[in-house]
Amino acid sequence: MEVIETVAQMQQRAEALRMAGHVLSLVPTMGFLHEGHLELMRVARKHSDRVIISIFVNPIQFGPTEDYDAYPRDTEGDLEKARRVGVDVVFLPREQEMYPTGFQTEVRVKEVTQHLCGLSRPGHFEGVTTVVAKLFHMTKPHLAVFGQKDYQQLTVISRMVKDLSMDIRVLGVPTVRDPDGLAMSSRNKYLTTDERVSALSLKKSLNLAEEMFKKGEGSAPGIKRAITDLIESHPHTEIDYISICDPVTLEEVKRLGDENLVALAVRVGKTRLIDNCLLRVKQ
């Protein structure tokens, strides 16, 4: 497994691999790898013969009061996990490599960033699309793999790739969960034992939404009220948003259609967690 720290070296290596006829995949990460990340790498391996991952805690996607400095990091552990899962190249740039002195360019996707996390985290998605666009240029992948746990991020990146005619296939992978149902996240380590119990209310509320939908409930406000009551019945929880929306545009709906996205963001203690599910009419 190669570890590359500079943009110039990464671009040269990616170009050499492409010229040799290899199909390249990229899994962008911010490190502190867990089983969810490793599943993305396994999926990437199935669709390519050279797997590249990036490990970079991206400062420009964090707001001024968010947890950039405290975000968990474990570079040595990450490299060992990547090696075990069969990653070929780890791109491990420093901040100065990604954002050299005088950097002033931003990539912005307009409409789909104006919902869900885009409302409560202004500037977040501009940071995401800018760093991902840069990573695409640096690693030159044929395929990029993202988790569906951050459904809006997957939507935004897919939109950027389509709008800018990037010759990259974007693949979403279903959310990986712990045995108790909690969606895997690097931030789960912040949770106390009691808070983790309350955090399970996110998955329970998604299960409730699925049950109501299967029984014929078509009112989005009705399902949102039920979800709200369930989450708020647990201690340590503070709802950021509950959205039932169109899975393509992310615009809120009042009546459920054949396919609907239920997306949640909830603070449990000091930890902000997200989760989602799709409600689909079975064909």
Side-chain angles (χ1 to χ4, degrees), residues 37-265:
H37 294 113
L38 303 184
E39 179 62 17
L40 300 183
M41 297 169 203
R42 295 186 192 104
V43 170
R45 171 62 69 195
K46 292 177 183 177
H47 294 270
S48 66
D49 62 351
R50 291 294 184 272
V51 177
I52 303 169
I53 73 167
S54 60
I55 299 175
F56 179 64
V57 183
N58 178 34
I60 68 170
Q61 72 185 66
F62 289 79
T65 62
E66 294 183 337
D67 60 341
Y68 172 71
D69 290 331
Y71 194 85
R73 295 163 170 86
D74 179 17
T75 301
E76 290 306 312
D78 290 344
L79 292 177
E80 179 56 31
K81 290 173 184 175
R83 188 176 291 110
R84 288 204 309 263
V85 86
V87 167
D88 297 290
V89 179
V90 177
F91 181 40
L92 191 65
R94 293 178 171 83
E95 184 175 341
Q96 183 64 21
E97 276 289 308
M98 296 298 287
Y99 304 114
T101 302
F103 183 85
Q104 55 189 290
T105 301
E106 178 180 273
V107 179
R108 179 173 175 242
V109 177
K110 291 190 284 189
E111 293 180 14
V112 291
T113 60
Q114 301 307 303
H115 310 285
L116 309 181
C117 291
L119 294 174
S120 55
R121 303 185 70 189
H124 168 70
F125 284 112
E126 286 79 0
V128 170
T129 45
T130 298
V131 76
V132 171
K134 287 174 67 67
L135 288 169
F136 285 171
H137 287 300
M138 294 166 182
T139 62
K140 307 183 182 184
H142 300 87
L143 169 76
V145 184
F146 294 85
Q148 292 177 358
K149 189 197 76 166
D150 195 333
Y151 189 97
Q152 186 174 21
Q153 175 177 272
L154 176 60
T155 300
V156 169
I157 296 301
S158 299
R159 185 80 254 173
M160 177 185 75
V161 165
K162 182 176 182 179
D163 288 353
L164 297 183
S165 302
M166 295 179 173
D167 189 17
I168 299 170
R169 178 188 172 201
V170 177
L171 181 63
V173 177
T175 302
V176 177
R177 299 182 181 277
D178 282 325
D180 60 7
L182 186 65
M184 288 190 175
S185 168
S186 298
R187 290 186 170 98
N188 288 351
K189 76 176 292 288
Y190 298 156
L191 298 168
T192 67
T193 301
D194 288 345
E195 288 170 352
R196 186 178 175 97
V197 173
S198 290
L200 299 179
S201 64
L202 276 75
K203 183 62 169 71
K204 290 176 182 176
S205 68
L206 297 177
N207 292 343
L208 175 60
E210 291 175 337
E211 291 172 11
M212 294 176 71
F213 184 65
K214 287 177 182 177
K215 291 178 180 178
E217 177 61 66
S219 167
I223 294 178
K224 288 172 71 172
R225 282 194 297 272
I227 290 175
T228 299
D229 290 344
L230 191 156
I231 293 172
E232 290 183 342
S233 71
H234 290 72
H236 315 296
T237 59
E238 180 184 352
I239 295 170
D240 182 348
Y241 66 76
I242 297 172
S243 178
I244 301 179
C245 58
D246 182 284
V248 176
T249 67
L250 305 185
E251 294 178 353
E252 289 271 342
V253 299
K254 291 184 178 180
R255 297 295 303 176
L256 276 67
D258 289 346
E259 188 172 53
N260 319 268
L261 174 69
V262 182
L264 314 170

